Amino acid sequence: YSAKVCNPTEGSKLEGKILDINKMGALVKIGPLSVVLPKQYHSNPAIFTKLMKDSNVIISIVGTKFELHDTEIEAVGLIDSIK
């Protein structure tokens, strides 16, 4: 048997696509991960003025949460750079 495993740890750096931007922050989708990028966690919230929907960003994972039978892994992250 073989399996693909997705279990990002705190500090993991991943690249994903921005799905939505609102006044609270941004939402990024990376495979089975749904990552929230809250403005309040960033030392420079002005970086959000440079973000555009469907652009790619490199993020660092701060924390994750999932339970049995979830279809997605929820995570919180910080923006490292914009591609």
Side-chain angles (χ1 to χ4, degrees):
Y1 297 99
S2 68
K4 292 184 180 181
V5 178
C6 179
N7 187 19
T9 57
E10 187 175 317
S12 298
K13 298 205 184 292
L14 305 169
E15 182 177 344
K17 184 185 238 183
I18 295 180
L19 290 182
D20 190 27
I21 302 169
N22 59 32
K23 66 181 180 178
M24 301 290 285
L27 179 66
V28 175
K29 184 72 174 165
I30 307 168
L33 290 176
S34 181
V35 184
V36 176
L37 307 173
K39 283 184 184 177
Q40 68 186 22
Y41 283 15
H42 290 78
S43 59
N44 181 14
I47 195 167
F48 283 86
T49 60
K50 299 176 186 175
L51 293 180
M52 296 175 58
K53 190 174 179 181
D54 295 328
S55 61
N56 287 335
V57 291
I58 305 283
I59 62 166
S60 292
I61 299 295
V62 175
T64 60
K65 180 184 103 174
F66 62 92
E67 295 179 14
L68 187 63
H69 303 298
D70 281 352
T71 57
E72 287 188 338
I73 299 170
E74 297 172 357
V76 176
L78 297 172
I79 298 171
D80 277 348
S81 63
I82 301 171
K83 285 196 136 187

